[in-house]
Amino acid sequence: MSDKHVDEISGVPTTGHEWDGIRELDNPMPRWWVWTFYTTIVWALLYAVAYPAWPLLTGSTEGLLGYSSRSEVRSDLAAADNAKSGYMTAIKEKSIDDIIADEDLRTVAVAAGGAAFKMNCVQCHGSGAEGSKGFPNLNDDDWLWGGSADQIQQTVAHGIRFTKDGETRDSIMPPFADVLDGDQISQVSTFVASLSAPVHNASLVEPGKTVFAENCAACHGDNAKGNKEMGAPDLTDAIWLYGSGEDAIAAQVRAPRVGVMPAWDARLGETAVKELAAFVHSLGGGEK
């Protein structure tokens, strides 16, 4: 005869444990729970036999099905490379204008160019291509050397003032400290500043306009809109690479600062250069 205590109210035996007069009923587990538990044990054993599961000294058991997640990943990557190879061949063979005109090719080129930009260009132009002092913002529509797709490709491929590349973009603004006196530099700086913002001394604008016409218009144009063939910036759009205002402009007139961009064609190859050009052109400021 069992000596287990039986709860008087429910008639269910207790486990024999007691805490401060409280006893635990020894109710059986629900049948559905018990069978679910047994099923998980069987499932685990079958899984361990069918798939790689048990670690060994130099590897693991292979399982009866011979499945390998590494092989699956390799297969997926191979399939992706195979699907991509056709696009890469087309990008290599077609011109940048043809690539941009083809929606599928443009999508692939822009995606690949964005990845290449993060690896090679963010150090100077920023992660968002917004640029910084001395490094152009690639999101706006202000282009020193032209913003069409083929012009961008030319710039990316051969760089700016990169002496190791014979086709590099090359022009340098001469220093005017020994050409103009102090008053003339103040005048022309005030005139240039007045083209896009109010100035401190408006009386210098007219004489500065004369100085500009005699010394600066040959490169920047009579209307100061710049010349993309020479890399001469537009001086009327309030976009400044080395700072705005009369003082910053005067400093640039006296002793111009010029940047150097490396040529990427030899480093990355023609296909990657096209992809970079497509990406930069897609940022919003690209010209048709």
Side-chain angles (χ1 to χ4, degrees), residues 184-199:
Q184 289 174 311
I185 290 177
S186 296
Q187 291 164 358
V188 74
S189 300
T190 301
F191 167 72
V192 171
S194 74
L195 297 175
S196 58
V199 294

Side-chain angles (χ1 to χ4, degrees), residues 72-126:
E72 185 176 25
V73 170
R74 281 195 292 266
S75 177
D76 290 344
L77 290 175
D81 288 340
N82 185 56
K84 189 173 64 174
S85 63
Y87 288 112
M88 294 298 102
T89 300
I91 290 173
K92 180 179 180 180
E93 294 176 350
K94 291 191 175 185
S95 70
I96 184 65
D97 289 328
D98 290 338
I99 293 170
I100 290 179
D102 185 307
E103 184 175 353
D104 291 337
L105 280 183
R106 181 177 69 250
T107 299
V108 173
V110 169
F117 186 89
K118 291 176 182 178
M119 291 292 294
N120 301 282
C121 312
V122 297
Q123 295 85 347
C124 294
H125 292 285

Side-chain angles (χ1 to χ4, degrees), residues 47-192:
Y47 189 95
V49 172
Y51 291 92
W54 301 103
L56 303 174
L57 290 177
T58 59
S60 64
T61 56
E62 296 183 1
L64 296 179
L65 297 181
Y67 171 80
S68 170
S69 59
R70 291 179 182 272
S71 297
E72 185 176 25
V73 170
R74 281 195 292 266
S75 177
D76 290 344
L77 290 175
D81 288 340
N82 185 56
K84 189 173 64 174
S85 63
Y87 288 112
M88 294 298 102
T89 300
I91 290 173
K92 180 179 180 180
E93 294 176 350
K94 291 191 175 185
S95 70
I96 184 65
D97 289 328
D98 290 338
I99 293 170
I100 290 179
D102 185 307
E103 184 175 353
D104 291 337
L105 280 183
R106 181 177 69 250
T107 299
V108 173
V110 169
F117 186 89
K118 291 176 182 178
M119 291 292 294
N120 301 282
C121 312
V122 297
Q123 295 85 347
C124 294
H125 292 285
S127 58
E130 72 281 2
S132 60
K133 189 174 183 178
F135 301 99
N137 180 355
L138 303 179
N139 296 288
D140 59 29
D141 58 358
D142 186 64
W143 299 93
L144 293 177
W145 298 93
S148 66
D150 61 325
Q151 289 171 327
I152 295 173
Q153 180 186 355
Q154 171 71 15
T155 299
V156 174
H158 301 291
I160 306 294
R161 305 180 190 93
F162 190 68
T163 57
K164 295 180 180 180
D165 191 300
E167 297 181 56
T168 191
R169 307 271 201 189
D170 190 15
S171 71
I172 297 178
M173 176 177 170
F176 283 89
D178 297 330
V179 178
L180 305 176
D181 60 34
D183 289 340
Q184 289 174 311
I185 290 177
S186 296
Q187 291 164 358
V188 74
S189 300
T190 301
F191 167 72
V192 171

Side-chain angles (χ1 to χ4, degrees), residues 262-286:
W264 292 100
D265 190 52
R267 300 187 187 192
L268 302 180
E270 183 181 2
T271 300
V273 166
K274 289 179 183 178
E275 293 167 347
L276 275 169
F279 171 73
V280 172
H281 188 267
S282 75
L283 293 176

Side-chain angles (χ1 to χ4, degrees), residues 4-5 13-19 23-24 26:
K4 283 190 175 182
H5 176 273
T14 62
T15 62
H17 303 147
E18 181 180 350
W19 296 274
R23 298 176 184 273
E24 180 183 4
D26 190 13

